[in-house]
Structures are given as structure tokens and as C-alpha cells.
Amino acid sequence: MIESWRWYGPFDKITLPEIAQTGASGIVTALHEIPYGEVWPVETIAARKRQIEEAGFDWVVVESLPIHEDVKRGAGDLDRIFANYRQSLANLAANGIHTICYNFMPLLDWTRTDLAAPVARGGTCLRFSAPRMAAFEIHMLGRTEAEADYLPEVVQQAAIWFQRATEADRETLLNSIMAGLPGAYDRYDVPALREALKTYDGIGQDDLRAHYARFLQEVVPAAEDLGMRLCVHPDDPPRDILGLPRIVSDADDIAFILGAVDSPANGLTLCSGSLGANPANDVPAIARRFADRIHFAHLRNVRKDPDGSFEEAAHLEGDTDMVDLIAALLEEEARRRQTGRADAVIPFRPDHGHDLLSDAERGTHPGYPLIGRLRGLAELRGVARALSSGALSSGALSSRATA
């Protein structure tokens, strides 16, 4: 597997020379400064690629080439937007970049309610609190219908939290929920978010699926002609929030997407944290079922609570058997080599890490600290090396990791 690292370009407080010390060889990044729906100029792509290569890396994955909200709503000047997306793909291919990660989450990207939840032995992590999210939806946004989306005890806890919360507490919650949006666009205050949500009125799961299928029909053939691999990132969290449908949350969703346009260019970003937050998902089983269409992997772990809350665990802890998952990816790489596939090696990156030691002082993007991800990469690298050596079976190593 290709060890890679997400880098936010000019927005990132972690430098390329620092990333070099992690041992990663690949960079995962995007042109976050370009508004959604606009063409990525070939010259701008070339300049960013040159910067990455001069630092000793390969630009292995674009994360993300974002999809304009009009596509998800099925409205607006879609012909222009689809044409721009195809042109951006062509410009990336002209620069030798062929793997594109994207998501189809309406309005918001990954969503957390706490950006610095304490970890037992020190440090902090990202957390999704069902009671705080319910408080935001029901009491701050005034979506009383959201009570039906949460357990009764969660609704009660949400009311208590809201009654006790100060204005600063509520502002912190809003900022935490907005923190998952990359780049410099589309941050909302409460009134603006209410207005933005109205643009999705009447759009249910079937409608969103139809809009997604049209997107795939418009862009996958172009990607295939260019020798590119598109790979959708699962929903995070994998559940409806804010009254917005989520349609990339489990194995059935993935099967629909990959079948909507059945092409090697239409693939999956296997995110173990996003899928792992759904109690119904067996992440290693999902990886094996869709192995031939996995073009990129995000490896992280989560620990779930019965009320629907979850938090980021250390990479080899949490509810997902990370050893078995890495074994599944290595098995797929071996199959690809046997069949002569050009894309035999799967790039991966350590996803959301804990803020450890001096991480909190750096003010990096939430979930993307230096030391916490370095720890994660080292742990994942060790598992992959041990499995690749054949010295231990995945089952034996898994039992040792959890002992």
C-alpha cells in the first residue's frame, strides 16, 4: 500500500518538510482555494504538483474535487457544472493525476459536535455527541421534527444541555459542526444554515439517489476515457442529519452507487471511520465485498456509544478490527498483481488522529494533527509490514493487538 498524507496546501500549518519526516511518500491534497463548480486550471494543477514533487513526494490522490450543491439538488446550470467537472478531470489527467476522491453529502462535509474531547491517557479527539447534535437541530435550528430522529433519552439530554448552555457554548457547537467543511467557502451561522436547508426542501433519499446517478452518468465515461479512478467517500456520520438524506452509509448504498454506472472508473474510498460509525456495518466484510473497486483508503477507528454517539479512537483501538481490514486490502493488492492490474497498489492515509503532546498548540485543521497522525501512520505501517512478511496471520496479529 502507498503511505500517504493529507495536506491542505497553503491552508495547512504542517509543512511538506515536516510531512517528509513521517515516512509517507504520497500527498493527498486539492485546490481548496477554487470555488465549487469552477474549472481547475491546468497551470494551477501543474504548479501544485511541482511544489509537491520538489519536496520529494508524489501527488497520489486528489481529495477532493468537490461536487457543486446544485448537482445534489438537481437544479441550476447543470450542463455547465458537469462540463467544468469533466474539464477539471482532463486537466488533472494531463498532469498525470488519476485518482479522485469526492463525497456526495448534502450541504455539510464530515460533522462533529466536539473538536477536543478528552482522551483517557491525555490528548483530545473528535467526537459526535448525539445529545449535542439533537440540541443543535431541535433547539438552535428550531427543527422540532428532528425529535423523531433521536432516542427519547437523547432528546431529553439535548433539552438539558441547551438549557444549561451559555451563548459561548452554543457558538462553540456551531463552529464545531461547521469545521468539517474544507477550503474557504460555505461556512454558515444559524440563520444562514436555516436558509440553506430550505434549498433541500422536498428532496428525499430517492431524489438524491437520482441526482447522484445523473452525476455518475455525466462524468464516469469521461473518467474512464482518461484512465482515471473516481472514488466516493462514505457519509460521515453515516446517518441522516439536519433533515438531509445520506445515501453513502452502508453496503446497500455502495452497491447501488457502483451499479449505477458499472465501470472500474466508478469506485470507493474505503473510509473505515465513516463506515465504522454505523453499528450495522462490518467494515472488513464491506472491504472484501467491494475490494476490486476500492481505489483509496482512509484508515481510522471509532468507538461507538449505544445512544448514537461516537468518537475517534486510536487507530488500532475502537470497534473496527483494523488488522483484519488491512489484511483485506493486502489480499486485494495481491489479487490485482496476479491479474496484472495497473492500479495494483492502493494508496491509504492515516485519517483523523488524536491531538497529542504539542499538537494542540499548532492550530491545525481539526482531526489533522501532526503527532497524532504520525502515531497512526506508524501503527498502520507496522501492521501492514507484519502481515506482508507472512510471519503472522491476520487473526493471530489481531489477537495480539487487542490483548
Side-chain angles (χ1 to χ4, degrees):
M1 296 193 294
I2 299 172
E3 297 179 4
S4 60
W5 190 274
R6 187 169 192 181
W7 179 58
Y8 284 91
F11 296 102
D12 208 320
K13 295 186 179 180
I14 298 173
T15 66
L16 289 172
E18 288 176 313
I19 296 170
Q21 296 180 54
T22 71
S25 61
I27 289 294
V28 175
T29 193
L31 303 182
H32 295 294
E33 63 273 24
I34 296 179
Y36 293 9
E38 299 302 314
V39 173
W40 286 18
V42 67
E43 299 84 0
T44 308
I45 297 168
R48 186 65 52 85
K49 184 185 180 189
R50 187 164 53 249
Q51 180 185 10
I52 290 167
E53 291 179 342
E54 288 175 352
F57 298 96
D58 295 320
W59 186 354
V60 292
V61 178
V62 170
E63 186 179 351
S64 295
L65 182 57
I67 299 173
H68 196 281
E69 290 301 313
D70 282 353
V71 175
K72 302 169 192 176
R73 290 186 288 249
D77 188 0
L78 296 183
D79 288 342
R80 183 188 71 84
I81 291 171
F82 290 136
N84 286 355
Y85 204 94
R86 290 189 292 264
Q87 186 61 56
S88 293
L89 291 178
N91 292 348
L92 286 163
N95 277 280
I97 303 165
H98 293 94
T99 303
I100 313 297
C101 173
Y102 69 97
N103 74 70
F104 211 80
M105 289 180 269
L107 211 59
L108 299 181
D109 206 305
W110 60 263
T111 303
R112 299 292 185 273
T113 60
D114 301 86
L115 302 182
V119 175
R121 298 187 66 183
T124 62
C125 70
L126 302 180
R127 179 172 174 80
F128 179 89
S129 163
R132 292 194 185 191
M133 193 68 203
F136 181 76
E137 292 204 53
I138 298 166
H139 300 287
M140 292 177 63
L141 284 178
R143 293 191 62 251
T144 55
E145 64 272 26
E147 291 183 4
D149 298 334
Y150 295 91
L151 296 170
E153 57 267 31
V154 170
V155 174
Q156 293 172 358
Q157 293 168 20
I160 293 170
W161 182 89
F162 182 75
Q163 290 166 4
R164 294 176 177 174
T166 65
E167 192 60 36
D169 293 333
R170 297 170 191 173
E171 186 67 21
T172 297
L173 178 58
L174 171 66
N175 291 338
S176 297
I177 291 169
M178 291 296 110
L181 290 167
Y185 302 95
D186 290 338
R187 298 300 193 272
Y188 303 103
D189 58 17
V190 168
L193 182 56
R194 286 196 191 105
E195 290 303 309
L197 288 170
K198 290 179 182 178
T199 66
Y200 278 89
D201 283 351
I203 296 176
Q205 184 179 74
D206 290 344
D207 303 296
L208 192 61
R209 275 189 165 187
H211 300 163
Y212 190 7
R214 180 181 175 189
F215 166 78
L216 293 172
Q217 291 158 6
E218 291 278 355
V219 303
V220 170
E224 188 169 3
D225 289 344
L226 293 164
M228 306 189 82
R229 295 291 186 262
L230 301 176
C231 42
V232 63
H233 186 286
D235 300 327
D236 188 6
R239 53 163 293 169
D240 295 355
I241 58 172
L242 303 174
L244 300 171
R246 294 287 178 98
I247 58 169
V248 196
S249 294
D250 58 25
D252 290 342
D253 289 340
I254 295 167
F256 170 83
I257 292 160
L258 301 185
V261 177
D262 190 4
S263 164
N266 179 24
L268 173 67
T269 295
L270 193 286
C271 180
S272 57
S274 298
L275 291 169
N278 183 340
N281 287 338
D282 180 333
V283 182
I286 289 174
R288 289 187 168 94
R289 177 177 172 183
F290 301 108
D292 66 329
R293 302 282 276 275
I294 294 173
H295 302 318
F296 181 35
H298 291 179
L299 299 182
R300 63 180 171 90
N301 223 321
V302 296
R303 183 178 294 107
K304 298 183 288 293
D305 297 331
D307 69 355
S309 303
F310 63 88
E311 67 183 25
E312 310 283 357
H315 286 73
L316 299 187
E317 300 173 11
D319 298 334
T320 295
D321 185 340
M322 189 61 67
V323 177
D324 193 29
L325 177 58
I326 292 174
L329 296 175
L330 292 173
E331 290 162 9
E332 173 59 19
E333 287 189 336
R335 280 192 294 270
R336 293 181 186 188
R337 290 189 182 96
Q338 290 172 358
T339 59
R341 273 182 60 166
D343 59 343
V345 184
I346 300 170
F348 81 95
R349 64 173 178 83
D351 207 359
H352 302 170
H354 290 173
D355 276 20
L356 303 175
L357 302 172
S358 61
D359 278 335
E361 302 166 10
R362 297 194 60 140
T364 56
H365 285 69
Y368 292 92
L370 177 59
I371 298 171
R373 281 188 292 164
L374 174 58
R375 173 188 170 181
L377 178 58
E379 292 175 342
L380 299 169
R381 175 187 296 140
V383 171
R385 294 285 178 89
L387 289 171
S388 297
S389 73
L392 291 171
S393 69
S394 62
L397 190 55
S398 178
S399 64
R400 291 185 179 208
T402 56

